Structure formats: C-alpha cells, structure tokens
Amino acid sequence: MSTEHISLRFAGLDGWESNDVVAAMWDGQMAAVAAVRPALPVIAKAVDAAADRLGDIGYKDTGRIVYVGAGTSGRLGVQDGSELPPTFSWPFERVVFQMAGGPGALLRSAEGAEDDASKGAAEIDGHGVGAQDVVIGIAASGATPYTVAAIRRARECGAVSIGIASNPGLRCCTPLSIPS
C-alpha cells in the first residue's frame, strides 16, 4: 500500500533548499486533491446515506455521528467532528469519538492500539451503535485492524458505515455500507 512505503522522491529531504521542500509539499497536496476526483460518486452516496439516516426521514432526533480511527487518522476525525456543534448546530451529545488507545491517544501515541481489532469492535458495542447511527472510520491505509473491525461491527449493528482511506481499490472492507 502506498501509505505504508517511504517515497524515494523525498530521499534526502532534510538537505533540500526550503523552497524545494515547500514546493514538494504543495505538489503532494495537489496530487491528493486530484486523487479524490474518482471517488466523488461514492462520496456523494455516503453523503446521501448519512443525510437519510440522520435527517427528517431517518433518526433526526436520535442518530449519532461516530468517528473511529487510530493515530493521525483518528485525530483528524476528532478535528472534523469537533466542528459539527459550533458550525452546524449539531448536538454535541450526538457526536462520538472512538480513538484507538482511548482519549489519551489524542495527545500521546498509543503504539500498538491500532492493531487491536477486538477492541475496535468491542468499543462499537460499548457505544451502543445501532441502526440510528452513522459510523465513519478513517484509516490512511484502509487496513488498520482497529478501525476495520469497528466499521465491520457497526455494519453488523445496522449503522450506515463509511470508510475513508488513502488507498484505492481496497478489498478489506467496502467503503460504504448502507443497511436496508
């Protein structure tokens, strides 16, 4: 998986001129933006599924948005979800953060926590995830055991489950699961 390998393009980065480093970071961001284009149809499906589940025809007053992740991916979920109440008036009590290694892992890495699949699934059960909820799992590789197990368990519980990853064509789990 491309997210798990060191890019030879950046060998010796610490010796580059600052302008070259900044230009390389900009190039990387442009490549990331371009890579999202092919995913737009499935992103739109995820938006529609979440809106149906949490909107007027679904669980308008009870449905929760649950973010699941490990390491940087989990921290990005917390950043995103933290903006829902002030920006969109989403009730704070209807945002759940499930971070491998617990809340302490937001500030200090909890090495190995991302590999505990059983804990990822068990924490979904502990949050009482069900058909009223939308669960968003974020994993750069798309194969983080903790996050993949949580998404699979959420799907089993009837939740809309959405996987966000940086590697296309994953076989470990479907990127979007909408129970009927």
Side-chain angles (χ1 to χ4, degrees):
M1 290 178 279
S2 62
T3 57
E4 301 294 320
H5 299 289
I6 296 171
S7 173
L8 295 178
R9 177 174 186 251
F10 300 104
L13 178 75
D14 57 330
W16 292 10
E17 294 293 325
S18 297
N19 192 53
D20 294 334
V21 171
V22 172
M25 288 191 292
W26 183 84
D27 288 343
Q29 292 303 304
M30 293 303 102
V33 168
V36 172
R37 181 86 172 126
L40 292 180
V42 76
I43 292 170
K45 284 183 183 179
V47 168
D48 290 343
D52 285 349
R53 187 61 54 99
L54 300 172
D56 290 336
I57 61 174
Y59 295 90
K60 179 182 173 199
D61 298 321
T62 59
R64 299 172 298 168
I65 300 174
V66 180
Y67 288 87
V68 178
T72 300
S73 297
R75 291 180 193 101
L76 291 172
V78 171
Q79 283 185 304
D80 187 67
S82 294
E83 287 300 318
L84 293 175
T87 305
F88 300 103
S89 299
W90 184 259
F92 181 77
E93 63 275 5
R94 290 177 48 210
V95 182
V96 177
F97 301 110
Q98 183 175 317
M99 179 78 173
L106 289 171
L107 299 176
R108 183 168 295 205
S109 294
E111 291 304 316
E114 72 273 8
D115 296 323
D116 193 343
S118 62
K119 183 107 174 173
E123 288 180 2
I124 286 291
D125 291 337
H127 291 302
V129 168
Q132 73 280 4
D133 298 316
V134 173
V135 179
I136 303 168
I138 307 169
S141 69
T144 306
Y146 175 92
T147 306
V148 171
I151 285 291
R152 286 183 174 155
R153 182 66 187 133
R155 182 184 320 134
E156 292 168 2
C157 293
V160 168
S161 60
I162 300 167
I164 300 174
S166 297
N167 282 315
L170 300 172
R171 290 184 219 168
C172 66
C173 58
T174 56
L176 172 64
S177 173
I178 308 165
S180 51

